[in-house]
Amino acid sequence: MAHPQTPHDPQPYPLGLRLAGRRVLVVGGGTVATRRVPALLDAGAAVALVAPEVTPALHGHIAAGRLSWSPRAFRPDDLDDTWLVQVAIDDPAAAAQISAAAEERRIFCVRADDRQAASAWTPAVTRSGPVTVAVLGGGDPRRAMAVRDAVRALLADAGSRRQPAGAPVPAAGEPAEGGSVALVGSGPGDPELITVKGRRLLAEADVVVADRLVPGLLLDELRADVELVDASKIPYGPSRTQEEINRILVERALAGATVVRLKGGDPYVFGRGGEELLACAAAGVPVSVVPGVTSAVSVPAAAGVPVTHRQVAHEFTVVSGHLPPGHPDSLVNWPALAALRGTLVLLMGLKNLPAITAALLAGGRDAGVAVAVVQEGTTGDQRTLRATLGSVADAVAEAGIRPPAIVVIGDVVTALDAA
Ligand code: SAH
């Protein structure tokens, strides 16, 4: 029977159910079940699905062996050994029957069709690392979601804030002491293009070692007590500077700090992230990598250029142009690149652009192929120049394009022009 929630009704009692290995019955195979099942699997529940038909996404879980499926209607013995029931069907009469059977056996029952008739509610949830925030809105899911969204925004802004000089709250399974290093990609320039995980780790950091290309607004958000090391201001030449960065990462982590090494774009795309990882590992410092949105793909996109496009390009090649073709240290096979017909994305290619375009033309690439040069992509100062392979080197010099810039060569440059 229904228990309407009025202002005088008792409030629900919040619980965190530890479902690992426990049978949870999901009745229904439509969109509601599709949305509920992943969190149950994430909690380690032994999910048993009962539904004559299921969505392709549920099929995927079944095919991967993540849950068991009985392709039929509900039977009361489906409740055997069950700890929790999720009724995810539209038919109110059938749903009422299932929840009556569950009630009889003292099994909590969540109902998608009628919250007021359910014995349990699923809260609106947001997760931040090991922390889960669950919000119940007094029977109004929209209110719950609005509060959840506000909490999520707070968590994203603040991370798990700690008291200055206070002890960090250790997550379950993590050592209470001992520093670590995370190599985090900041994305190409727009501060909103960092990953959710990257932003959380940044908010949790004691020390941040940042590159020149890292969005300034991300650094602006750091707590006052965070030590910010600007890697671009380390004096010495390039190789000494890298050694010095490695030394700072290792030293701070060994002193117990949570260190974020914030790097432009993705840490491993021409970013020397691998060297930093090896240096930390060699010193016995726990080190992890959080990928970032690389400028190689996102900066062309921001300028309206897709790096692949159906019937236009089936490949894209990302190349560093910091050494000119023919340089003894160059590892790039320029004649091979000239023979490709797909998209070529050049990073750090401005200085050597005349030599690079000459090598591509000499290798047979068409002088008329379209080129876009994008300076400071995804930022408020983004600037795009269009030219052809034959004209781009002069055009860049004339327009005074400066680093950081990306050069995209290929028919994809004009692929979206009709849009
Ligand atoms: N790890 C970075 C690349 C580092 S190499 C990434 O994944 O994006 C630095 C080069 O990246 C610059 O010389 C430039 O070619 C390119 N670049 C980075 N950010 C850029 C931006 N916002 N606009 C244009 N080019 C950018």
Side-chain angles (χ1 to χ4, degrees):
M1 104 165 233
H3 302 277
Q5 178 91 1
T6 71
H8 307 292
D9 270 345
Q11 290 295 315
Y13 180 77
L15 271 183
L17 297 184
R18 304 182 70 200
L19 294 178
R22 301 199 159 107
R23 176 179 163 97
V24 174
L25 179 69
V26 176
V27 186
T31 53
V32 173
T34 304
R35 289 176 55 170
R36 296 287 186 225
V37 159
L40 292 169
L41 293 176
D42 197 54
V47 175
L49 184 66
V50 175
E53 284 167 33
V54 301
T55 62
L58 288 170
H59 253 300
H61 291 303
I62 295 160
R66 290 181 209 120
L67 51 81
S68 67
W69 177 34
S70 305
R72 54 164 173 76
F74 168 82
R75 293 193 314 236
D77 66 354
D78 288 328
L79 293 168
D80 291 353
D81 304 321
T82 295
W83 293 72
L84 179 70
V85 187
Q86 292 258 1
V87 181
I89 56 178
D90 294 332
D91 177 354
Q97 227 177 359
I98 299 163
S99 70
E103 183 87 20
E104 200 175 297
R105 297 180 187 217
R106 309 285 190 267
I107 301 168
F108 278 107
C109 180
V110 181
R111 279 178 68 170
D113 65 307
D114 183 350
R115 298 176 57 79
Q116 302 304 346
S119 57
W121 291 343
T122 44
V125 169
T126 183
R127 295 183 172 87
S128 177
V131 175
T132 300
V133 179
V135 180
L136 294 168
D140 177 353
R142 275 171 312 178
R143 188 194 301 159
M145 281 189 273
V147 173
R148 185 272 317 271
D149 289 345
V151 173
R152 176 160 59 195
L154 279 175
L155 286 171
D157 281 345
S160 52
R161 266 177 199 277
R162 306 173 194 152
Q163 295 302 311
V169 184
E174 284 179 17
E177 286 186 18
S180 62
V181 172
L183 308 175
V184 176
S186 71
D190 178 345
E192 291 198 286
L193 289 178
I194 190 171
T195 63
V196 172
K197 186 167 190 172
R199 193 160 194 212
R200 175 173 67 79
L201 292 177
L202 199 55
E204 291 173 0
D206 303 311
V207 178
V208 174
V209 182
D211 270 349
R212 191 172 38 90
L213 283 181
V214 154
L217 274 181
L218 289 175
L219 305 178
D220 202 49
E221 292 174 4
L222 296 176
R223 300 188 316 272
D225 62 302
V226 172
E227 182 194 2
L228 177 61
V229 180
D230 184 344
S232 65
K233 297 234 170 82
I234 296 174
Y236 320 123
S239 62
R240 268 296 305 281
T241 299
Q242 188 61 54
E243 275 173 37
E244 182 67 8
I245 292 169
N246 295 353
R247 192 188 62 75
I248 292 170
L249 298 178
V250 166
E251 193 181 273
R252 299 294 195 280
L254 289 179
T258 301
V259 182
V260 164
R261 169 69 172 121
L262 192 62
K263 303 172 73 68
D266 179 89
Y268 283 169
V269 178
F270 308 135
R272 308 191 68 164
E275 292 164 59
E276 293 168 7
L277 183 111
L278 290 173
C280 292
V285 168
V287 57
S288 61
V289 183
V290 180
V293 174
T294 180
S295 63
V297 174
S298 58
V299 166
V305 177
V307 291
T308 71
H309 194 67
R310 203 165 77 90
Q311 295 178 348
V312 175
H314 291 176
E315 83 222 15
F316 64 97
T317 308
V318 181
V319 186
S320 168
H322 76 290
L323 295 176
H327 189 284
D329 293 340
S330 174
L331 301 176
V332 180
N333 184 341
W334 290 101
L337 294 182
L340 297 175
R341 60 174 292 181
T343 308
L344 203 55
V345 182
L346 271 181
L347 273 65
M348 299 181 280
L350 279 194
K351 194 175 60 149
N352 295 318
L353 196 56
I356 289 169
T357 53
L360 293 175
L361 292 169
R365 191 97 200 218
D366 182 18
V369 67
V371 179
V373 183
V374 192
Q375 175 182 323
E376 288 171 83
T378 79
T379 74
D381 297 321
Q382 176 174 317
R383 216 183 138 190
T384 305
L385 176 141
R386 288 272 196 102
T388 62
L389 187 58
S391 68
V392 69
D394 287 343
V396 159
E398 201 167 302
I401 299 276
R402 290 182 317 273
I406 275 189
V407 181
V408 201
I409 301 165
D411 295 336
V412 289
V413 167
T414 51
L416 301 186
D417 280 359

